[in-house]
Amino acid sequence: MSLRFSKMHGIGNDFVVLDGRRLPPALSETQIRAIADRRCGVGFDQLLSVEPARDPSCAVYYGIWNADGSPSGQCGNGVRCVAAWLHRAGALGIGETVRLESPSGPVAVRLLAADRVAVDMGEPDFAPAASGFDGHSQALELGPDTVEIGVVSMGNPHAVVSVSDLAQPSLATWGPALTTHPRFAHGVNTGFVQRLAHDHLRLRVHERGSGWTLACGTGACAAMAVLHQRGQVGDRVQVELPGGTLQIDWGGAGHALWMTGPAAFVFEGEWL
C-alpha cells in the first residue's frame, strides 16, 4: 500500500504529516524509522498523524513520533503545522480558534494567517515528576563537568542550561549526554539558551529521539519559562533558533503560555 503525506516545517523543524482522519495509520517503529531516513527515506524530525479526536471538544487528534520511532507527548512547531494543514484542507479558517488534541491533552490554536499560528501551550509545569526527573539537585555530573539545569514540562520534558556562548565546544557532548541522562526516567529534550536581552534569547536544542534540530517549539517555551521564573526575561520574548525565530508570551504562574510562529508546506509525496 502507498502512503500519501505532506512534508512541512516550522522554522526548520521538519515533519511528515499523514491524513488519518478516515483511517488512522498503524506504522511500526521500523516503518517510522525508514520514512525518517534522510538518505533512503523522506526525512523528518517528527512524524505527525491527523486523526479523529478522542475528546469531543477538539477538532482533531494529532499523534507525534520522533525520527527513532519513539512516541512524543507534544511538539510546538508540529501543532502549528497541523493547524496550517487543517486550513489548507478547508477545516480551519483564518482568524478562527479551535482546540486540537495532542497526546498530552488539548491545546488551543489561533490561525493568524495561512502560514502563521499562535498556540496556547498551557502553563509550564516545574514539578520534577512531570518531566520524569528524580527530583534531587539540579546539578548534573557530565564526566569532569557539573552542569546546572532548569527542569520544566511543556507536555514533554525539558532540561534548560544557560550558557554565555552557544558555540562553545562542550555543548556537542553535553547535549547527547543530558538527553539520555539516567536521572530522567524517559530521557529529556535539552536546550542551551543564551540571554541576549530582557526580551531576546538564542537557543539550540538536542531533542530526545531526534538529536540536534533546527528548531524546537516546546524547547523555546521551556527556555523562556525557566528564565522568566528566574526573573531574567519579561512577559514577551523573541527566541532565536538556528531555523528562525518564535515569539513566546507568558505572564507567569496562573497564566497560559502562548507560542507564535510560522508553518510552511514543502511538498506532497507518496511513500511506496
Side-chain angles (χ1 to χ4, degrees):
M1 290 179 62
S2 61
L3 191 67
R4 296 291 304 173
F5 66 88
S6 301
K7 181 68 184 284
M8 301 185 69
H9 77 90
I11 60 171
N13 189 185
D14 65 332
F15 310 98
V16 161
V17 184
L18 305 178
D19 185 354
R21 291 175 295 175
R22 291 186 178 180
L23 182 65
L27 298 175
S28 68
E29 181 178 303
T30 299
Q31 289 171 313
I32 293 171
R33 292 167 69 103
I35 299 171
D37 191 297
R38 294 193 180 275
R39 289 187 179 273
C40 302
V42 182
F44 61 76
D45 292 321
Q46 280 82 31
L47 181 144
L48 308 171
S49 66
V50 183
E51 305 176 19
R54 285 70 159 167
D55 183 336
S57 72
C58 296
V60 298
Y61 171 88
Y62 60 97
I64 312 166
W65 290 268
N66 296 312
D68 67 355
S70 62
S72 178
Q74 188 54 282
C75 179
N77 290 316
V79 67
R80 295 200 317 277
C81 286
V82 170
W85 187 95
L86 289 171
H87 171 66
R88 198 181 68 165
L92 179 60
I94 293 175
E96 285 189 59
T97 299
V98 298
R99 281 160 60 93
L100 306 180
E101 185 182 3
S102 77
S104 295
V107 296
V109 299
R110 182 179 302 131
L111 189 69
L112 305 177
D115 60 352
R116 190 163 181 82
V117 183
V119 184
D120 177 353
M121 298 295 292
E123 186 173 350
D125 190 342
F126 293 94
S131 294
F133 186 59
D134 67 11
H136 299 135
S137 167
Q138 295 192 1
L140 300 186
E141 301 297 326
L142 301 179
D145 302 309
T146 299
V147 178
E148 294 284 343
I149 64 171
V151 178
V152 63
S153 172
M154 293 302 310
N156 54 1
H158 288 270
V160 177
V161 182
S162 289
V163 298
S164 58
D165 182 7
L166 288 179
Q168 66 185 67
S170 57
L171 302 193
T173 54
W174 286 3
L178 283 169
T179 298
T180 58
H181 200 282
R183 289 184 60 190
F184 288 92
H186 310 292
V188 70
N189 300 291
T190 303
F192 299 98
V193 61
Q194 178 183 3
R195 181 181 176 274
L196 302 178
H198 200 59
D199 61 353
H200 189 186
L201 304 176
R202 187 172 290 152
L203 179 70
R204 288 177 61 193
V205 180
H206 188 275
E207 295 191 45
R208 61 173 184 173
S210 295
W212 295 106
T213 57
L214 291 177
C216 177
T218 55
C221 298
M224 187 276 195
V226 167
L227 268 61
H228 188 283
Q229 190 189 49
R230 295 173 180 171
Q232 296 176 352
V233 297
D235 293 350
R236 170 168 290 181
V237 174
Q238 303 297 315
V239 181
E240 179 186 335
L241 297 113
T245 301
L246 296 173
Q247 175 182 303
I248 311 297
D249 294 272
W250 187 44
H255 297 275
L257 181 150
W258 282 80
M259 171 194 61
T260 303
F265 286 90
V266 183
F267 61 85
E268 301 293 322
E270 184 176 8
W271 177 259
L272 300 176

